[in-house]
Amino acid sequence: MDTKNKGFNTKLIHAGAYEDVFGSAVTPIYQTSTFSFKNAQHGADCFAGKSDGYIYTRIGNPTINAFEKAMAELENGFGGVATSSGMAAVSSVYMALLGAGKHIICSSSVYGPSRSVLERDFSRFGVEMTFIDTSDLSQIENAIQDNTSVLYIETPANPTMVITDLVKASELAHKNGITVVVDNTFSSPYLQNPLDLGCDVVLHSVTKFINGHADIVGGVIIAKEEEMYKKIRGSMVYLGGNMDPHQAFLTHRGLKTLSIRIEKAQQSAMLVAEYLEKHPKIDWIKYPGLKSHPQHELAKKQMRGFSSIISFGLKGGIKAGKVLMDNVHLAILAVSLGGVESLIQHPASMTHASMSKEAREAADITDGLVRYSVGIENVEDIIEDLDQALAKV
Ligand SMILES: *Cc1c(COP(=O)(O)O)cnc(C)c1O
């Protein structure tokens, strides 16, 4: 079915569906590493790009392709590239767009390893980098050099919930010939479409909202234009970070309920945020849906909802935060986010432990910051769980 002009939910259910010879209602798992050619000439033509046909699963596979097509449609891009993990998506994009003597500007508050792989590995190949608060356009402007080729933005940023204006950041970058890449993991295409806001490449850790069931690690990259798509696919195929068919099947199944999962989770997140904001033991809270969030208006303009991740600090700092984390029973003390289950974690010692303390402080990732990902359990149970744990602080 052609879903190009259909609504978002119709796309979630039907986009990318692969019609097999048996009329299978769901795209089957093509659990195969390789595909037979009709004859020697067909094989040669497939490799030369003159004939359609699957060759080898690292290069392409119908189950993976169905998921990639669905994601490309949901993000309004030319094509999607599914990867083994979110980090394989990040690394494939860096690999495709960076090189010796090139410079990248990156949000200082990003998923820890997205920054650490630049500092630890890409620096060894002569890539230059500057980490700034991308929500401040003047900082982007000041960081631009003659050799800047990539502006890498995470918005809302992990874990500070800082929001970058994607329209304005893209305009500024494009005036200077810079490619704009956005990590859209915290919003998913249900809440935000960076390619529609002027960005060139969008990527996701599908481990989070897209799959949504905490049983898969995976990633996906979507490029707006064909040339960029081909460049990134080439790097992914040579780097070898492809998704596998079984992983693609499960992720595509999870994707179908994205809208209803996020709707439920963000409704609850608003109530949890309001509860926490009023609690006497809470020092500060950052949730884009609260009027107190410094970029609440921008979030309203740029996103179609506020998602379900909340960052906050307790008056007793990290000591109090640890008491809270050790006393919640419903929320699982674990990294990751965007799943059906509520999760709580401590970025400074967990997801962002790979960053230096100075880098964390500069990015406002304080030792007292606790991150809560609101799931789809009954919200009164989530709040009751927090309430009894906060009483022990
Ligand atoms: C989790 C995460 C990643 C990394 O994804 P993996 O699937 O764990 O490799 C990248 N960006 C953001 C914002 C994330 O939350």
Side-chain angles (χ1 to χ4, degrees):
M1 182 190 160
D2 183 9
T3 48
K4 281 258 152 45
N5 298 313
K6 300 283 190 260
F8 191 87
N9 289 307
T10 307
K11 287 185 182 185
L12 280 183
I13 308 302
H14 298 290
Y18 183 90
E19 286 171 28
D20 78 336
V21 290
F22 300 112
S24 167
V26 170
T27 305
I29 308 173
Y30 285 89
Q31 194 73 48
T32 183
S33 58
T34 196
F35 297 83
S36 73
F37 303 122
K38 294 187 188 88
N39 50 49
Q41 190 55 46
H42 177 229
D45 287 347
C46 283
F47 269 95
K50 287 190 219 151
S51 177
D52 280 343
Y54 289 100
I55 298 173
Y56 185 66
T57 282
R58 176 161 46 73
I59 303 171
N61 172 294
T63 315
I64 301 170
N65 210 218
F67 171 65
E68 291 171 332
K69 280 188 181 154
M71 286 306 303
E73 248 186 67
L74 294 166
E75 286 285 19
N76 300 319
F78 174 82
V81 179
T83 56
S84 58
S85 67
M87 279 314 298
V90 173
S91 300
S92 298
V93 167
Y94 288 165
M95 193 69 114
L97 302 179
L98 296 171
K102 291 202 172 164
H103 175 243
I104 177 171
I105 300 171
C106 181
S107 303
S108 51
S109 174
V110 282
Y111 181 69
S114 301
R115 172 174 178 153
S116 302
V117 72
L118 288 171
E119 293 177 318
R120 207 189 78 124
D121 297 300
F122 281 85
S123 63
R124 292 185 288 115
F125 301 101
V127 173
E128 297 169 32
M129 53 204 69
T130 307
F131 301 97
I132 51 145
D133 176 1
T134 49
S135 73
D136 178 355
L137 284 176
S138 67
Q139 287 194 33
I140 300 182
E141 203 155 13
N142 291 335
I144 293 174
Q145 303 177 180
D146 290 343
N147 59 344
T148 305
S149 57
V150 179
L151 171 61
Y152 185 94
I153 300 169
E154 210 173 275
T155 180
N158 186 355
T160 56
M161 308 309 291
V162 169
I163 295 171
T164 296
D165 188 326
L166 293 177
V167 171
K168 289 196 178 141
S170 295
E171 276 170 13
L172 178 58
H174 289 160
K175 258 196 275 170
N176 292 277
I178 298 166
T179 301
V180 182
V181 179
V182 177
D183 183 334
N184 202 25
T185 301
F186 269 44
S187 299
S188 92
Y190 180 61
L191 300 180
Q192 176 171 278
N193 291 118
L195 302 185
D196 291 349
L197 301 173
C199 309
D200 305 292
V201 178
V202 55
L203 62 87
H204 295 269
S205 164
V206 305
T207 314
K208 319 294 167 53
F209 285 105
I210 303 282
N211 178 60
H213 293 75
D215 49 12
I216 278 293
V217 169
V220 71
I221 308 152
I222 303 100
K224 193 167 175 172
E225 306 289 351
E226 181 172 7
E227 197 185 333
M228 181 64 81
Y229 161 76
K230 286 188 170 156
K231 199 167 168 177
I232 293 170
R233 177 165 287 281
S235 290
M236 185 286 284
V237 167
Y238 285 171
L239 199 59
N242 61 286
M243 189 173 264
D244 81 56
H246 190 238
Q247 190 186 9
F249 172 85
L250 284 172
T251 309
H252 204 157
R253 184 170 78 162
L255 175 69
K256 293 184 185 189
T257 53
L258 180 71
S259 298
I260 54 176
R261 283 187 283 109
I262 293 198
E263 266 317 320
K264 172 74 182 154
Q266 70 180 3
Q267 273 169 23
S268 298
M270 192 69 216
L271 297 173
V272 172
E274 283 167 356
Y275 160 80
L276 288 173
E277 191 168 43
K278 282 193 224 109
H279 199 285
K281 288 182 185 168
I282 300 292
D283 185 22
W284 60 268
I285 174 165
K286 289 269 169 64
Y287 177 64
L290 291 174
K291 289 209 177 69
S292 60
H293 189 289
Q295 294 142 314
H296 175 65
E297 290 306 318
L298 174 59
K300 270 210 294 207
K301 197 174 84 185
Q302 180 162 291
M303 301 166 70
R304 292 180 288 269
F306 304 113
S307 196
S308 55
I309 326 292
I310 301 169
S311 287
F312 59 93
L314 282 93
K315 284 189 180 136
I318 187 51
K319 252 178 97 183
K322 281 190 171 154
V323 175
L324 170 70
M325 286 185 279
D326 286 341
N327 283 284
V328 286
H329 306 307
L330 181 143
I332 301 169
L333 177 56
V335 298
S336 200
L337 55 99
V340 291
E341 55 289 287
S342 293
L343 301 178
I344 193 166
Q345 71 113 356
H346 178 235
S349 67
M350 297 173 188
T351 45
H352 292 71
S354 65
M355 286 165 70
S356 69
K357 191 171 165 62
E358 298 76 56
R360 275 199 305 271
E361 274 167 8
D364 224 17
I365 306 167
T366 54
D367 282 347
L369 190 156
V370 174
R371 194 185 75 189
Y372 196 102
S373 174
V374 180
I376 63 169
E377 301 95 341
N378 284 73
V379 67
E380 53 279 13
D381 292 336
I382 295 173
I383 292 174
E384 188 184 284
D385 181 47
L386 282 166
D387 202 53
Q388 63 79 28
L390 281 167
K392 301 204 170 94
V393 171

